[in-house]
């Protein structure tokens, strides 16, 4: 049985954050030490990011508000709203992103109507509310009230893979199933000024965005390139539990993103790939660079550099990840789906092309997947 991603669509908020402008704002915050100022410059300038998107409309130099909550544009000061205030924005603006991405994915899925959706899986780690995004999507899109709903919360950057793996399992168990997967993250809600290196790195990387896919094993004739969901694997590295974490504080969620993370990935990436590549004997004797495409979650520029060097990949194989990072930043769980969409939109001669994909998150967890790009 072949399980196919029938559509893959993305969505971002309207407000753009230009990286150089955001750097200058963060570097000028009161209370920042001389070392903190230098760290801000270094983190932002080496991020590989040019622009990001935010659901916080105030986060722009052009904003004008008599009672600012997140950013006072008049004196360029980053404010510190409570976690409750941040989460209220998440509930309102996050719902919009979930619905927009889901609507686009459903509209782009040939031969699939709202009534066909049997399962909804939503993914997010940047806020909480209930009835949750799974409920909101069902109501907004007019899906069957009997659609099975699942929400994967607080996993972090790798969470799209457990969602896609679950969708594949549902389709294999119920051949007529049609699964809608939606990942949406509002990471920018949790940015703050700090002298803490982890917080500074997070502020230089994280952004908002959403991605959605419709997945099914139903027979159909595709009219455009699509992805088959082949295999998934999960690996926990023996070290790194303290190097990447996501905690809830009084003034937003607090990211721990240690500088040792790229070194952990460098040391353990080959071992993490072994169980995945062993699932397909046709890959047994191939060099990594002989697999056509690599959809790597761009957790940061240094992570991509380590992956490229350790696996001896060709420069163009990292272009989808690097361009996603450049144009959107790190949108946590949604980001790797942006990378997959980039690969789907590349020129295609109709011959099947393999995609090896991976993402990293708290634990340190390495999620890997094999896809095949298939043609009409």
């Amino acid at each position: 049985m072949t399980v196919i991603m029938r559509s893959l669509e993305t969505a971002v908020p309207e407000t753009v954050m230009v990286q150089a402008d955001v750097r200058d704002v963060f570097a000028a915050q009161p209370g920042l030490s001389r070392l903190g100022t230098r760290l801000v410059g270094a983190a932002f300038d080496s991020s590989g990011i040019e622009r990001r998107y935010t659901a916080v409309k105030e986060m722009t130099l052009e904003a004008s508000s008599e009672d600012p909550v997140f950013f006072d544009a008049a004196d360029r000061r980053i404010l510190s709203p409570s976690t409750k205030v941040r989460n209220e924005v998440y509930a309102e603006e996050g719902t919009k992103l979930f619905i927009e991405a889901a609507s686009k994915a459903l509209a782009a899925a040939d031969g699939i109507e709202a009534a066909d959706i049997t399962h909804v899986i939503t993914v997010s780690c940047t806020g909480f509310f209930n009835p949750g995004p799974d409920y909101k999507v069902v109501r907004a899109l007019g899906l069957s009230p009997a659609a099975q709903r699942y929400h994967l919360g607080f996993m972090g950057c790798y969470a799209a893979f457990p969602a896609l793996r679950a969708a594949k399992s549902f389709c294999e168990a119920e051949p007529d199933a049609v699964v809608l997967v939606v990942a949406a993250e509002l990471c920018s809600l949790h940015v703050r000024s700090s002298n803490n290196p982890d917080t500074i790195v997070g502020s230089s990387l994280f952004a908002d965005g959403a991605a959605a896919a419709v997945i099914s094993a139903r027979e159909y004739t595709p009219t455009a390139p699509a992805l088959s969901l082949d295999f998934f694997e999960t690996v926990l590295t023996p070290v790194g539990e303290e190097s990447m974490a996501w905690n809830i504080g009084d003034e937003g969620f607090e990211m721990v993103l240690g500088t040792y993370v790229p070194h952990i990935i460098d040391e353990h990436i080959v071992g993490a790939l072994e169980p995945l590549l062993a699932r397909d004997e046709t890959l047994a004797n191939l060099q990594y660079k002989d697999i056509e495409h690599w959809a790597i979650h761009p957790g940061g520029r240094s992570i991509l550099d380590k992956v490229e060097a350790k696996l001896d990949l060709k420069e163009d194989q990292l272009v989808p990840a690097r361009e996603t990072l450049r144009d959107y930043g790190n949108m946590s769980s949604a980001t790797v789906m942006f990378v997959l969409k980039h690969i789907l939109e590349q020129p295609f001669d109709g011959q099947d092309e393999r995609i090896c994909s991976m993402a990293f998150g708290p634990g340190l967890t390495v999620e890997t997947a094999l896809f095949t790009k298939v043609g009409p």
Side-chain angles (χ1 to χ4, degrees):
M1 177 184 295
T2 302
V3 178
I4 298 291
M5 187 182 290
R6 301 272 285 264
S7 65
L8 176 57
E9 297 294 330
T10 60
V12 293
E14 293 181 357
T15 302
V16 180
M17 297 191 298
V18 177
Q19 187 75 337
D21 293 342
V22 180
R23 175 203 62 206
D24 293 346
V25 167
F26 270 86
Q29 292 306 297
L32 206 62
S33 67
R34 292 177 63 185
L35 175 59
T37 301
R38 290 199 298 271
L39 288 174
V40 167
F44 278 75
D45 290 344
S46 64
S47 66
I49 297 170
E50 293 182 4
R51 71 192 66 83
R52 295 176 279 167
Y53 295 83
T54 176
V56 183
K57 298 179 178 63
E58 291 178 353
M59 295 295 286
T60 171
L61 297 177
E62 289 75 36
S64 177
S65 174
E66 294 182 359
D67 188 22
V69 177
F70 286 84
F71 178 62
D72 187 344
D75 61 9
R76 303 185 123 193
R77 186 164 53 93
I78 298 169
L79 307 178
S80 299
S82 68
T83 300
K84 180 179 185 295
V85 169
R86 297 174 196 260
N87 197 66
E88 287 172 346
V89 177
Y90 171 86
E92 180 178 353
E93 299 298 330
T95 294
K96 296 175 185 177
L97 271 185
F98 273 106
I99 291 171
E100 180 182 352
S103 299
K104 291 168 68 175
L106 181 59
D110 287 345
I112 299 294
E113 305 294 336
D116 295 316
I117 302 295
T118 58
H119 300 70
V120 175
I121 304 172
T122 53
V123 181
S124 191
C125 69
T126 46
F128 302 93
F129 62 93
N130 204 0
D134 51 311
Y135 171 92
K136 298 290 188 180
V137 167
V138 168
R139 289 300 197 198
L141 273 62
L143 308 184
S144 168
Q148 297 181 36
R149 309 191 327 262
Y150 304 86
H151 181 71
L152 301 183
F154 223 61
M155 284 185 167
C157 295
Y158 65 80
F161 287 97
L164 295 175
R165 182 171 55 237
K168 176 178 167 67
S169 296
F170 291 148
C171 293
E172 290 172 337
E174 303 175 38
D176 202 42
V178 180
V179 185
L180 174 62
V181 174
V182 196
E185 304 286 10
L186 274 65
C187 306
S188 71
L189 291 177
H190 305 291
V191 300
R192 63 179 59 78
S193 177
S194 172
N195 287 300
N196 181 284
D198 288 349
T199 303
I200 290 171
V201 170
S203 298
S204 74
L205 290 174
F206 286 104
D208 303 350
V214 173
I215 295 160
S216 181
R218 291 183 181 183
E219 290 189 9
Y220 87 115
T221 302
T223 58
L227 294 181
S228 71
L229 280 59
D230 301 334
F231 304 107
F232 294 88
E233 289 289 343
T234 301
V235 170
L236 294 179
T237 61
V239 295
E241 183 175 348
E242 305 301 324
S243 296
M244 188 183 294
W246 192 222
N247 303 309
I248 298 177
D250 292 334
E251 296 178 349
F253 298 173
E254 299 169 353
M255 166 57 73
V256 177
L257 189 61
T259 57
Y260 192 58
V261 169
H263 300 286
I264 297 172
I265 292 171
D266 181 58
E267 293 172 5
H268 297 284
I269 188 173
V270 171
L273 283 169
E274 285 178 355
L276 178 75
L277 300 182
R279 299 286 297 275
D280 188 338
E281 61 183 16
T282 66
L283 303 178
N285 297 316
L286 288 182
Q287 296 184 41
Y288 297 117
K289 63 185 175 184
D290 291 332
I291 298 173
E292 288 95 336
H293 301 287
W294 286 80
I296 308 299
H297 166 70
R301 182 178 179 178
S302 60
I303 289 175
L304 295 179
D305 290 344
K306 288 290 186 182
V307 171
E308 182 177 346
K310 187 68 175 182
L311 301 183
D312 191 28
L313 298 178
K314 292 175 283 189
E315 186 175 329
D316 62 350
Q317 290 176 304
L318 269 293
V319 165
R322 293 192 189 278
E323 292 192 350
T324 297
L325 183 66
R326 180 194 68 194
D327 296 337
Y328 299 99
N330 182 343
M331 300 165 286
S332 191
S333 66
T335 321
V336 74
M337 295 176 73
F338 277 68
V339 180
L340 288 168
K341 182 172 174 62
H342 189 296
I343 293 171
L344 264 178
E345 293 175 344
Q346 290 181 2
F348 184 55
D349 64 7
Q351 300 297 314
D352 289 357
E353 297 175 357
R354 217 57 190 279
I355 303 169
C356 188
S357 187
M358 63 175 59
F360 320 95
L364 188 84
T365 302
V366 183
E367 289 279 350
T368 58
L370 279 174
F371 304 96
T372 303
K373 183 176 177 181
V374 297

